[in-house]
Amino acid sequence: MSLVRAALPYLGDNLLLLADLCSALESDMRGRVLLRASESNKLERILAHGTDRGGYPGDRRWRHDPSVAHEDVIFATTPAHNQAAEADPARSSSLKKFAGIDEPLLLIYEADALEQLRPTEFRFRHAYAKLAALRAVVPVTKLALPDGWFRAAEGMAYRDLVERALTGPSRGQIVEVGCWLGRSTSYIAGLCRARKARLSCVDTWSGSSDRFDLGYRERLATRDIEAEFRQHLTALGVDAECIRRPSVAAAARFEPGAVDLVFLDASHDRAAVSADIHAWLPCLRSGGILAGHDFAEDHPGVVAAVEQAAATLECPIQRGPGSLWWVQA
């Protein structure tokens, strides 16, 4: 198997990249690994030497101990270190280095093949076996996160819901209703790709029935929002089905019990949200998840419709970060 894996998109969210990495390499990530940021122009050197520090002329020494060769030491961090570093702006990590690299590579090493010298500096146990210690090289494609109303914490919680829905008796079908430019879609695309789940994206890209309609139409008058959304899906590397229909009409295309999770973020007036819930509930499998955005005081129509549905179903409304909501069918 080639060391060079399929490229992963990087949208400036290190936690999302880490989650997508773990999903993409799930079968290979059972052992402990170390992550190192590198650059695409060093790929030839990396594949020849197992490290981007190999192949330079001269005999440089490690700055903290002249008895150690410079090329035998790498800056690297564990997935757990990268996770924790996101909560501390002053703490360095491999993934944080991507911000300063135009065309990044992510190097993945077998942790047991290196010994820790300092908190983020590791030496190869066997200088002649560096290539054997390298488990994968992952090109990273830097993309812009589309404009939208989804915060990072909401996006990661949404991703967690999709991951939960794709376990157990999953049929592998996720539906997102109200995609716009794809900001929320960005948080689940990598997981759907890695799990080979079918992702269906429903939107009219023609406005809404709520008080936000004028703002949408002003944007639509000068931009092809649907085309931008489709281009973003292509850049993310996800083969999603785009359904340009009203939500209720789109739901009629799915068999009863065929969907693992439906995420509602279309029109926000009570009538529209109630109609969406009524239309999509039969599509969910038993134990499937109905979720959505904007369960908040400034969206009273969403709150009223969701509360009414939860009372009818006798299911508690569960809340996530921000204005996320979900119920389990």
Side-chain angles (χ1 to χ4, degrees):
M1 181 182 294
S2 172
L3 282 174
V4 182
R5 303 298 182 89
L8 282 179
Y10 176 58
L11 296 142
D13 188 322
N14 294 332
L15 291 178
L16 176 59
L17 178 65
L18 183 61
D20 282 348
L21 172 69
C22 291
S23 295
L25 302 177
E26 191 168 21
S27 62
D28 297 325
M29 296 280 284
R30 292 173 184 165
R32 294 194 317 117
V33 295
L34 291 169
L35 309 180
R36 172 172 171 78
S38 190
E39 301 149 66
S40 61
N41 61 8
K42 296 180 180 178
L43 179 59
E44 184 177 352
R45 182 182 301 128
I46 292 164
L47 296 180
H49 300 278
T51 170
D52 50 13
R53 289 194 169 191
Y56 289 108
D59 183 22
R60 296 177 61 189
R61 314 309 292 172
W62 184 44
R63 60 180 176 172
H64 296 292
D65 184 347
S67 68
V68 177
H70 169 84
E71 67 177 20
D72 292 343
V73 179
I74 58 170
F75 172 93
T77 46
T78 65
H81 179 111
N82 284 274
Q83 180 98 22
E86 290 305 303
D88 183 357
R91 191 174 183 185
S92 180
S93 75
S94 297
L95 299 186
K96 284 184 176 180
K97 291 185 176 294
F98 285 164
I101 302 175
D102 290 335
E103 297 182 8
L105 292 177
L106 183 61
L107 310 184
I108 304 174
Y109 288 95
E110 176 65 54
D112 291 341
L114 295 99
E115 61 175 325
Q116 189 171 21
L117 302 177
R118 293 171 68 83
T120 58
E121 293 181 78
F122 296 80
R123 176 169 58 179
F124 291 94
R125 294 186 186 277
H126 305 290
Y128 57 85
K130 294 170 186 170
L131 196 55
L134 182 61
R135 295 179 61 176
V137 178
V138 182
V140 176
T141 304
K142 297 179 88 168
L143 302 174
L145 186 65
D147 293 337
W149 303 270
F150 227 61
R151 291 182 288 174
E154 293 173 325
M156 293 305 297
Y158 176 27
R159 189 187 191 282
D160 288 344
L161 284 175
V162 171
E163 187 162 29
R164 182 188 306 179
L166 292 176
T167 60
S170 165
R171 291 156 177 77
Q173 174 69 67
I174 304 298
V175 177
E176 181 175 283
V177 181
C179 308
W180 195 237
L181 284 165
R183 189 180 183 94
S184 55
T185 323
S186 300
Y187 283 92
I188 64 167
L191 178 61
C192 290
R193 181 180 62 242
R195 297 289 178 85
K196 296 181 171 57
R198 295 180 298 278
L199 174 60
S200 298
C201 300
V202 178
D203 206 309
T204 63
W205 290 285
S206 61
S208 66
S209 60
D210 56 26
R211 59 191 170 92
F212 303 104
D213 182 54
L214 179 60
Y216 294 142
R217 291 184 181 277
E218 287 175 347
R219 292 176 176 87
L220 288 162
T222 59
R223 297 167 61 181
D224 189 338
I225 300 295
E226 181 186 1
E228 291 184 42
F229 173 74
R230 289 176 179 270
Q231 290 167 5
H232 186 61
L233 286 183
T234 299
L236 291 174
V238 60
D239 184 19
E241 176 190 24
C242 293
I243 304 174
R244 184 168 186 166
R245 290 191 181 187
S247 174
V248 172
R253 296 179 46 160
F254 291 83
E255 295 293 329
V259 180
D260 296 291
L261 180 145
V262 176
F263 189 83
L264 301 177
D265 195 15
S267 292
H268 288 54
D269 55 290
R270 181 172 182 171
V273 179
S274 294
D276 288 348
I277 292 173
H278 180 76
W280 285 103
L281 270 176
C283 302
L284 284 174
R285 65 169 170 84
S286 178
I289 295 173
L290 179 69
H293 195 223
D294 294 315
F295 189 95
E297 290 183 0
D298 53 344
H299 298 288
V302 175
V303 174
V306 173
E307 287 181 340
Q308 181 182 32
T312 301
L313 293 169
E314 298 183 345
C315 292
I317 302 169
Q318 302 187 65
R319 301 290 307 279
S323 63
L324 248 62
W325 63 269
W326 73 94
V327 295
Q328 194 143 14

